[in-house]
């Protein structure tokens, strides 16, 4: 048998903790000297101690641990709990990292206010491009909501293009639209007093909510599509019709002829998109200061996307008109 000190050493816990476990009936000593009150433990009790510590580290309270041990949890069951807890901790770590990135972006925005040079912004016309794309819905236009939606879309789009044998002819290009309002939302509450028109929403606010449609696209050619068995109307981007709306190809992705922007204020952002906020807000300051106003969501042209996101180069293309 072991003294409480020796047992604590073997179990890598404190004697104080063992006394507490004894007091709440979680791990009783094998024997307690009736005269001195000294506690003695057996080596076999290390198995129960290990389970107690493992369950505690999984986030269970001591009351829960006692209830679980009463059911005699097996090693495979403990391993299953460990896998579940690991997944929860990884998700929490990812979420915490994303929040930290957003805090850092806000701080960068504050630090860089008013520092953008007029030379950093170029007002120009963009070209009409043929895109292969996948679309998804994000809860808002914020980077914290766009990121988890757009990255899987691009991963899947690249896979589908490779499977179809369609080689991209240019960089990725993402664009955004107001998300449609569900029918229930349209009728569930008054947006304006009876007889009055609902005011037009701001350029970056989806009607009836903050959700946006995310379009993750890759520049392709008509020739590459033709080799994959898809014929596209060169004037519209839609097979056989005059519409420019995204159209399924039968290959798992859509195609669209994305119209040119007649007037776009553009600026280059360097680094991960999670830190785009300072660049976007500095561009907004420039637009306001130079007699323009926004005419819609900005497009993102991904000029360079190496494995290290710190080396990413993205052109932000904000459609503008004279104020």
């Amino acid at each position: 048998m072991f003294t409480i000190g020796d047992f604590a050493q073997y179990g890598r816990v404190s004697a104080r903790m063992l006394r507490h476990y004894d007091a709440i009936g979680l791990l009783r000593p094998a024997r307690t000297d009736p005269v001195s009150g000294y506690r003695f433990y057996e080596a076999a009790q290390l198995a129960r101690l290990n389970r107690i510590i493992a369950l505690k580290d999984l986030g269970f309270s001591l009351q829960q641990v006692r209830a679980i041990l009463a059911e005699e949890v097996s090693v495979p069951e403990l391993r299953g709990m460990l896998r579940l807890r690991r997944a929860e901790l990884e998700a929490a770590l990812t979420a915490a990292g994303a929040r930290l990135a957003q805090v850092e972006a806000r701080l960068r925005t504050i630090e860089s206010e008013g520092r953008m040079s007029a030379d950093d912004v170029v007002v120009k016309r963009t070209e009409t491009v043929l895109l292969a794309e996948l679309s998804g819905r994000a809860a808002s236009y914020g980077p914290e909501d766009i990121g988890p939606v757009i990255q899987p879309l691009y991963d899947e789009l690249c896979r589908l293009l490779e499977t179809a044998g369609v080689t991209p002819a240019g960089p990725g290009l993402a664009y955004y639209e107001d998300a449609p309002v569900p029918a229930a939302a349209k009728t569930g509450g008054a947006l304006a007093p009876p007889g009055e028109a609902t005011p037009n929403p701001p350029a970056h606010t989806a009607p009836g909510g903050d959700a946006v449609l995310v379009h993750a696209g890759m520049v392709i050619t008509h020739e590459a599509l033709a080799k994959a068995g898809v014929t596209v109307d060169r004037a519209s981007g839609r097979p056989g019709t005059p519409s420019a709306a995204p159209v399924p190809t039968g290959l798992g992705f859509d195609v669209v002829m994305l119209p040119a922007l007649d007037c776009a204020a553009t600026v280059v952002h360097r680094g991960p998109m999670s830190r785009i906020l300072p660049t976007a807000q500095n561009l907004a300051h420039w637009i306001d200061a130079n007699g323009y106003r926004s005419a819609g969501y900005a497009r993102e042209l991904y000029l360079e996307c190496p494995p290290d996101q710190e080396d990413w180069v993205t052109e932000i293309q904000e459609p503008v008109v004279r104020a």
Side-chain angles (χ1 to χ4, degrees), residues 46 115 124-125 139 152 162 168 180 188 199 266 269 286:
L46 286 170
R115 295 184 184 177
K124 65 183 181 180
R125 185 183 189 278
E162 183 177 4
T266 67
H269 169 73
W286 186 95

Side-chain angles (χ1 to χ4, degrees), residues 189-211:
L191 299 181
E196 294 183 20
T198 301
N200 291 328
H204 295 327
T205 302
D210 295 328

Side-chain angles (χ1 to χ4, degrees), residues 71-91:
E71 299 295 327
E72 299 183 351
V73 179
S74 67
V75 171
E77 288 172 329
L78 275 175
R79 185 159 294 281
M81 292 178 181
L82 175 60
R83 291 194 188 99
L84 179 61
R85 182 58 176 163
R86 178 190 297 158
E88 292 173 346
L89 290 173
E90 288 174 349

Side-chain angles (χ1 to χ4, degrees), residues 7 18 59 85 90-92 105 111 113 119 122 155 197 201 241 243 250 259 261 271 274 278 291 308 318 323:
F7 189 74
L18 290 176
R85 182 58 176 163
E90 288 174 349
E111 292 169 351
E113 284 176 352
D119 295 336
V122 177
D155 291 342
T241 74
S243 172
L261 295 175
S274 61
D308 187 351
E318 180 99 6

